[in-house]
Amino acid sequence: MSDPDQSAGASNGPPPPQPIVTSADVGPAGSAGEPSLAPRAASGFVPPSPHSAPAYPPAPGQSASHGYAPAPDYVPAPTYPPGPGLSAAPDYPGAVGWTAQPPAPRSRALGLTSMLIAIPLFVLSVIASAVVGVSIGPFATRTGAGFSYNSSDLPAGQAASLAPVGILMVAQILVGTALGILALVLGIVAVATKRGRPLGIVGIIVSVAAPIVSFAVYLACVVSTLPPA
């Protein structure tokens, strides 16, 4: 029979050597005997996965967190004074920064010319009508509707004395009519083109009133000097 102590000593001998497990033999869960999907080197570097995107350093002017650099502080544009003939832009959006200059005032010479022709013509025409009426009245004949005058019925001496009156009447009709029309046209143009509009209005009114007033003065002078019936 064998000794129990010897059998116990034989069974309690040194344990068998254990296999050495390296980092290459340890799997993701740390179990031995399973292949590792991500082998780790002895220095601790983990190689990247073949399916992961490579990492690049951020470009200049970009932050690593958001990918965009913060906006710089806004600097307002410098202001410049307006050029000649321009004014500053008004204080509302969308306004144009310039205004048109007012038009230069037009000359009043045209309206003044019309008035300077019409007023003397009016005065001279009234005077001439009065002279002609007073000169003809004594040689006229009263009728039921008014009076009549015929220079051919006058004696030679009276006809010769009335010759200057006839010349004055013809000059009044021809020259007065021509100058009156000229003053009227100049006044109308002055009013239409705003070249002395108030003066042109005066020229128009006086040139139109001159023949009417002159004829009224002529009739009044003739009637007042008619011989008694």
Side-chain angles (χ1 to χ4, degrees):
M1 293 181 62
S2 60
D3 191 357
D5 296 333
Q6 292 180 355
S7 61
S11 60
N12 295 329
Q18 298 293 330
I20 299 173
V21 179
T22 62
S23 61
D25 298 331
V26 178
S31 60
E34 296 180 0
S36 175
L37 296 178
R40 180 180 299 176
S43 61
F45 172 75
V46 179
S49 174
H51 300 287
S52 62
Y56 299 98
Q62 296 183 352
S63 61
S65 59
H66 299 88
Y68 299 95
D73 294 338
Y74 174 74
V75 179
T79 58
Y80 301 95
L86 303 178
S87 62
D91 296 333
Y92 56 87
V96 182
W98 62 274
T99 54
Q101 292 182 347
R106 297 186 176 183
S107 175
R108 302 188 303 169
L110 196 61
L112 181 62
T113 303
S114 173
M115 186 182 69
L116 292 180
I117 294 175
I119 292 178
L121 179 63
F122 178 86
V123 175
L124 295 176
S125 178
V126 171
I127 294 174
S129 297
V131 171
V132 172
V134 171
S135 301
I136 293 177
F139 302 99
T141 303
R142 290 180 181 271
T143 61
F147 64 91
S148 63
Y149 172 78
N150 190 357
S151 59
S152 61
D153 297 338
L154 297 176
Q158 292 179 353
S161 63
L162 292 177
V165 177
I167 295 174
L168 179 60
M169 182 182 295
V170 173
Q172 178 187 9
I173 295 174
L174 296 179
V175 178
T177 302
L179 293 179
I181 293 175
L182 177 61
L184 178 63
V185 172
L186 292 178
I188 293 174
V189 175
V191 171
T193 58
K194 298 180 180 181
R195 292 188 290 179
R197 172 177 288 182
L199 303 178
I201 294 175
V202 174
I204 293 173
I205 295 175
V206 174
S207 61
V208 171
I212 300 174
V213 175
S214 298
F215 185 72
V217 171
Y218 168 76
L219 290 180
C221 292
V222 171
V223 172
S224 63
T225 58
L226 282 175

